[in-house]
């Protein structure tokens, strides 16, 4: 066998593809942007709705760069007569939100959220849905252009799927972008218990190949300390905020190599709240919404993107700065966990000998919160069974006083793989540190004097 004809089998999520040596060399020459190396096939703004006229099914690696789902999973498929066949099974899931906190949720295929579905514009898909829940359900293909009868709205476009039944959905993907799927039967209960997932449709003709492509689903839950069942009746006081159904410190980092072009797809099926997701150290552009691509002329630099509930936003940027960069919701109560809600405001309180007096009545009593909540992160206090502290995760320099919707973008020079590389060791002198006396003296800083300010008021 010649070198040109030698083939290499690459296992990908849900399928196995055969790559020629030439294709791999071409991919390497483009810095890993494999999608760019594959020939554009078929394609068009309008894709035939019938299976007979649909282009051949898209393949991972050959036709697109597979999406990475931190902490998540993807749904495998098989090809039957030119149609991609998937199988979702709705059922109860015993899910870990973070170390120390488990919840009895409802999801798909044993996962919360359901596994990400990945396909290509023009693919014909057939999705079986088996219901192993104690209640009826349906699946709505959120933001996907389907025939009306495939839209999945219980009572409106179909009968509900009763426990034990299996329904079949089938349609051609006539668009590309980031969509979602979720129950559309008793939504308050079933979405509130986790029955959601992402559905990524890659373009038949990739226009903006990237090197890393991530997907994150946002969600919010009410799980009272000690309880295991999320309360889907909650309307306001959510106390567990998650990325891909994990709360910090249980979230996995996003790992990229310095200089790579990165795409992050963010979906939000939280019951009630929008989430402004902020990325440190980089500027990005919003390139897609759940309605489709955003024209380059309409994109502008951002560091925070608001992801409304029921919507997706896709951001892209070049990871030009090595380091450990925070990525989180900027709603401050969305970056804390249980135990941080409904507490009295004790900021500035002088407890005096209150602790000693209370000790006689409540052994172990301790007044907390006079200077904020950060001290709770590393106190190691016991918490009720099946609950987690309101904030705190291990960092390189100290405890990270965050929780909930918080994760880390890890950018590294020259890494060969995408496992967690550990904490970043920056160049000497590039890390903030306690100022020494020589610094203060040289720069004329007197830390003991009143804080300087230039008063801009009319009388100042």
């Amino acid at each position: 066998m010649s070198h040109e004809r030698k083939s290499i089998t690459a296992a990908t999520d849900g399928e196995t593809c055969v790559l020629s040596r030439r294709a791999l060399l071409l991919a390497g020459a483009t810095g890993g942007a494999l999608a760019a190396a594959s020939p554009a096939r078929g394609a068009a703004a309008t894709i035939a709705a019938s299976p007979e006229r649909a282009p051949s099914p898209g393949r991972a690696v050959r036709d697109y760069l597979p999406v990475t789902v931190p902490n998540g999973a993807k749904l495998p498929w098989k090809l039957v007569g030119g149609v991609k066949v998937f199988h979702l099974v709705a059922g109860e899931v015993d899910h870990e939100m973070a170390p120390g906190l488990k919840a009895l949720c409802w999801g798909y295929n044993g996962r919360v959220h359901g596994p990400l579905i990945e396909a290509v514009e023009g693919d014909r898909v057939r999705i079986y849905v088996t219901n192993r829940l104690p209640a009826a359900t349906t699946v709505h293909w959120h933001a996907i252009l389907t025939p009306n009868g495939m839209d999945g709205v219980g009572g409106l476009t179909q009968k509900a799927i009763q426990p034990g039944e299996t329904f079949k959905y089938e349609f051609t993907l006539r668009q590309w972008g980031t969509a979602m799927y979720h129950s559309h039967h008793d939504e308050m209960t079933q979405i509130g218990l986790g029955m959601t997932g992402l559905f990524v449709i890659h373009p038949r003709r990739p226009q903006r190949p990237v090197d890393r492509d991530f997907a994150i689903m946002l969600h919010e839950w009410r799980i009272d300390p000690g309880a295991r069942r999320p309360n889907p009746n909650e309307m306001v006081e959510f106390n567990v905020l998650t990325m891909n159904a994990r709360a910090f410190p249980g979230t996995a980092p996003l790992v990229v190599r310095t200089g790579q072009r990165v795409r992050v797809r963010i979906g939000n099926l939280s019951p009630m709240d929008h989430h402004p997701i902020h990325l440190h150290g980089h500027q990005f552009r919003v390139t897609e919404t759940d309605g489709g691509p955003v024209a380059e002329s309409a994109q502008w630099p951002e560091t925070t993107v608001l992801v409304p509930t029921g919507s997706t936003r896709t951001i892209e940027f070049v990871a030009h700065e090595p380091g450990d960069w925070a990525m989180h919701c900027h709603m401050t109560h969305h970056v804390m966990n249980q135990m941080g809600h409904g507490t009295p405001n004790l900021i500035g309180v002088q407890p005096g000998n209150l602790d000693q007096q209370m000790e006689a009545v409540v052994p172990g009593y301790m007044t907390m919160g006079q200077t904020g909540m950060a001290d709770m992160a590393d106190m190691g206090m016991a918490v009720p069974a099946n609950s987690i502290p309101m904030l705190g995760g291990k960092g390189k320099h100290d405890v990270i006083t965050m929780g909930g919707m918080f994760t880390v973008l890890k950018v590294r020079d020259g890494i060969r793989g995408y496992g967690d590389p550990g904490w970043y060791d920056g160049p000497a002198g590039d890390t903030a540190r306690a100022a020494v006396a020589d610094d203060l003296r040289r720069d004329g800083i007197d830390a003991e004097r009143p804080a300087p300010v230039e008063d801009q008021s009319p009388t100042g």
Side-chain angles (χ1 to χ4, degrees):
M1 180 180 294
S2 71
H3 289 302
E4 282 298 318
R5 296 182 61 187
K6 183 179 180 181
S7 63
I8 299 172
T9 301
T12 63
D13 298 274
E15 58 183 309
T16 299
C17 297
V18 179
L19 304 177
S20 70
R21 179 181 175 83
R22 178 178 176 79
L24 283 175
L25 290 173
L26 285 171
T30 58
L34 294 174
S38 60
R41 298 158 5 86
T46 302
I47 298 293
S50 67
E52 294 77 12
R53 298 180 59 193
S56 63
R59 295 280 188 173
V61 181
R62 185 192 69 181
D63 296 320
Y64 61 87
L65 178 71
V67 171
T68 297
V69 191
N71 294 119
K74 293 202 281 191
L75 188 63
W77 54 271
K78 57 185 176 183
L79 199 61
V80 180
V83 178
K84 287 183 176 177
V85 177
F86 300 84
H87 186 194
L88 284 173
V89 179
E92 188 165 88
V93 181
D94 191 357
H95 174 69
E96 183 184 75
M97 300 280 182
L101 176 60
K102 288 190 173 182
L104 286 173
C105 303
W106 288 3
Y108 301 96
N109 297 44
R111 303 301 293 253
V112 174
H113 304 286
L116 180 144
I117 298 174
E118 195 167 28
V120 174
E121 176 189 23
D123 282 350
R124 183 78 175 177
V125 297
R126 183 179 301 138
I127 306 173
Y128 291 93
V129 178
T130 297
N131 183 7
R132 294 180 186 164
L133 294 168
T137 191
T138 66
V139 177
H140 165 57
W141 315 103
H142 187 110
I144 295 178
L145 305 176
T146 68
N148 181 249
M150 295 292 165
D151 196 41
V153 180
L156 178 64
T157 61
Q158 68 167 87
K159 288 181 173 294
I161 309 170
Q162 297 299 320
E165 289 186 329
T166 297
F167 270 43
K168 180 182 74 174
Y169 297 85
E170 182 166 338
F171 44 87
T172 297
L173 300 174
R174 296 178 288 152
Q175 63 196 100
W176 59 270
T178 306
M180 300 182 283
Y181 64 92
H182 61 81
S183 166
H184 215 301
H185 177 87
D186 188 8
E187 280 195 346
M188 184 189 76
T189 299
Q190 300 195 3
I191 290 179
L193 289 174
M195 297 188 69
T196 68
L198 285 162
F199 196 138
V200 172
I201 308 170
H202 294 277
R204 185 63 60 166
R205 298 178 185 274
Q207 299 296 312
R208 300 185 304 271
V210 295
D211 303 298
R212 296 286 281 154
D213 194 339
F214 297 97
I216 295 174
M217 175 70 88
L218 308 176
H219 205 75
E220 58 193 4
W221 318 74
R222 176 61 186 252
I223 308 174
D224 292 325
R228 296 203 64 195
R229 183 74 73 184
N231 180 2
N233 300 323
E234 180 58 57
M235 185 182 295
V236 179
E237 298 293 338
F238 299 96
N239 60 2
V240 178
L241 288 295
T242 56
M243 291 176 153
N244 285 339
R246 297 278 288 182
F248 186 78
T251 51
L254 283 61
V255 181
V256 308
R257 187 164 59 243
T258 308
Q260 287 187 317
R261 187 168 185 80
V262 180
R263 176 183 294 137
V264 184
R265 308 167 187 267
I266 309 169
N268 180 14
L269 281 174
S270 299
M272 298 300 292
D273 287 310
H274 314 313
H275 301 292
I277 301 299
H278 176 56
L279 175 62
H280 293 216
H282 295 80
Q283 293 177 327
F284 57 74
R285 291 175 183 266
V286 179
T287 58
E288 298 174 21
T289 69
D290 47 329
V294 177
E296 287 193 20
S297 59
Q299 300 171 12
W300 60 83
E302 292 273 16
T303 65
T304 302
V305 57
L306 180 64
V307 188
T309 188
S311 298
T312 70
R313 295 291 183 268
T314 298
I315 64 172
E316 293 183 13
F317 58 95
V318 176
H320 51 74
E321 289 291 341
D324 291 335
W325 301 105
M327 181 175 175
H328 59 93
C329 180
H330 224 289
M331 297 273 196
T332 57
H333 280 248
H334 292 180
V335 286
M336 65 165 47
N337 299 316
Q338 299 164 303
M339 312 295 292
H341 302 259
T343 56
N345 179 9
L346 296 180
I347 299 294
V349 167
Q350 302 294 326
N353 63 351
L354 177 63
D355 288 8
Q356 291 80 357
Q357 295 183 46
M358 288 295 296
E359 176 69 26
V361 181
V362 182
Y365 174 85
M366 179 188 299
T367 304
M368 301 176 61
Q370 308 95 300
T371 61
M373 300 298 181
D375 288 345
M376 293 194 67
D378 58 359
M379 293 182 70
M381 292 183 60
V383 296
N386 198 44
S387 64
I388 51 179
M390 69 174 68
L391 46 80
K394 184 179 180 181
K396 177 182 178 181
H397 303 281
D398 211 337
V399 173
I400 301 172
T401 53
M402 305 290 272
M405 285 182 179
F406 179 91
T407 189
V408 179
L409 171 72
K410 296 193 173 187
V411 184
R412 297 290 188 276
D413 293 335
I415 53 175
R416 294 180 177 272
Y418 296 116
D420 189 342
W423 300 113
Y424 178 66
D425 290 317
D430 275 5
T431 300
R433 56 178 173 78
V436 299
D438 286 347
D439 292 335
L440 301 175
R441 190 179 310 109
R442 180 194 61 211
D443 295 328
I445 302 297
D446 186 346
E448 303 301 322
R449 297 183 62 185
V453 65
E454 292 183 1
D455 193 349
Q456 296 290 293
S457 65
T459 57

